[in-house]
Amino acid sequence: GAVVSQHPSWVICKSGTSVKIECRSLDFQATTMFWYRQFPKQSLMLMATSNEGSKATYEQGVEKDKFLINHASLTLSTLTVTSAHPEDSSFYICSAEQGFDEQYFGPGTRLTVT
Amino acid sequence: GENVEQHPSTLSVQEGDSAVIKCTYSDSASNYFPWYKQELGKGPQLIIDIRSNVGEKKDQRIAVTLNKTAKHFSLHITETQPEDSAVYFCAASPGYSTLTFGKGTMLLVSP
């Protein structure tokens, strides 16, 4: 149980274009989902917390207009990187909360902006 | 806010040995402490967790201990195997869905 999927697993896009990443909880409903960013050999950096049906809460320093988050249902949250630039290249990982504080992570999406 | 320190950053052991990774936290309100295993290019996998109302939890070769007074918790892996090689992250949460992660420990298990 507690399986989270992400799509796509990797994406290459050109500078200035937008990319959407989907995060789905496959066998449970998640009121709360999280988006993280991870640089090579570093820990996870929380970008934002999304609650189903309401606006996402962004961490300090994260541009909400660049990283658009939509949590439209109890099993799906999306992250759209708008007008992507090479510095947005990273490993993006979502998680979904099941129960009290328990977060289950997706497999991650490798974004490369050329 | 919460601050989590994790040691060591790298740990090399021989197959069959035990491995111990330690974390300390700063917020006495934290009451949930999960451990994640992350293999290269993959997302973190929850391997064990503990809440503040217990001092120890075991799951086969993995155990976690918690000392609330000293504000530290540890991951113990016994009879290590090469497939245990990965980066391990500890985390702490005071509730309200927020996890603060340690910087990770790269565990290398040599055959």
Side-chain angles (χ1 to χ4, degrees):
Chain A
V3 179
V4 177
S5 70
Q6 270 183 254
H7 179 80
S9 55
W10 61 269
V11 57
I12 301 173
C13 71
K14 293 189 175 180
S15 187
T17 62
S18 295
V19 173
K20 180 184 282 189
I21 303 170
E22 291 186 350
C23 176
R24 295 180 185 272
S25 55
L26 298 184
D27 53 0
F28 66 101
Q29 294 184 326
T31 304
T32 305
M33 290 185 170
F34 306 85
W35 287 95
Y36 293 84
R37 186 172 178 176
Q38 187 177 37
F39 293 102
K41 297 186 178 181
Q42 293 191 22
S43 190
L44 294 90
M45 182 185 78
L46 179 65
M47 298 175 65
T49 301
S50 73
N51 290 290
E52 187 264 339
S54 62
K55 288 185 178 180
T57 302
Y58 290 83
E59 295 298 301
Q60 193 171 7
V62 177
E63 297 177 62
K64 58 182 68 175
D65 293 332
K66 167 169 272 299
F67 300 100
L68 301 179
I69 292 171
N70 187 340
H71 192 162
S73 77
L74 289 173
T75 59
L76 174 64
S77 177
T78 60
L79 168 69
T80 301
V81 183
T82 63
S83 187
H85 292 287
E87 57 265 31
D88 298 324
S89 298
S90 193
F91 191 51
Y92 293 89
I93 316 173
C94 72
S95 71
E97 185 178 53
Q98 183 190 47
F100 186 61
D101 285 337
E102 296 175 18
Q103 290 187 31
Y104 293 88
F105 285 82
T109 296
R110 174 76 56 193
L111 170 63
T112 301
V113 184
T114 61
Chain B
E2 176 65 277
N3 181 51
V4 177
E5 299 282 339
Q6 183 172 347
H7 297 281
S9 56
T10 306
L11 179 58
S12 295
V13 300
Q14 293 288 321
E15 183 177 1
D17 288 349
S18 294
V20 180
I21 303 170
K22 299 181 179 181
C23 289
T24 60
Y25 62 98
S26 61
D27 189 346
S28 57
S30 286
N31 53 25
Y32 176 62
F33 308 92
W35 286 88
Y36 290 89
K37 174 184 180 183
Q38 186 177 27
E39 297 177 345
L40 191 63
K42 298 184 178 180
Q45 175 193 3
L46 178 64
I47 57 172
I48 196 167
D49 57 12
I50 192 168
R51 297 193 184 268
S52 60
N53 57 343
V54 297
E56 182 175 0
K57 185 176 179 180
K58 248 184 183 178
D59 183 3
Q60 299 183 351
R61 297 187 295 108
I62 295 173
V64 56
T65 58
L66 171 65
N67 183 326
K68 283 223 73 175
T69 303
K71 296 205 198 92
H72 66 71
F73 56 112
S74 300
L75 177 71
H76 304 253
I77 305 174
T78 58
E79 300 173 27
T80 55
Q81 301 166 3
E83 49 265 39
D84 293 330
S85 297
V87 178
Y88 292 80
F89 291 98
C90 65
S93 172
Y96 310 110
S97 305
T98 303
L99 285 180
T100 300
F101 287 87
K103 292 189 175 182
T105 296
M106 178 176 290
L107 174 64
L108 301 170
V109 182
S110 304

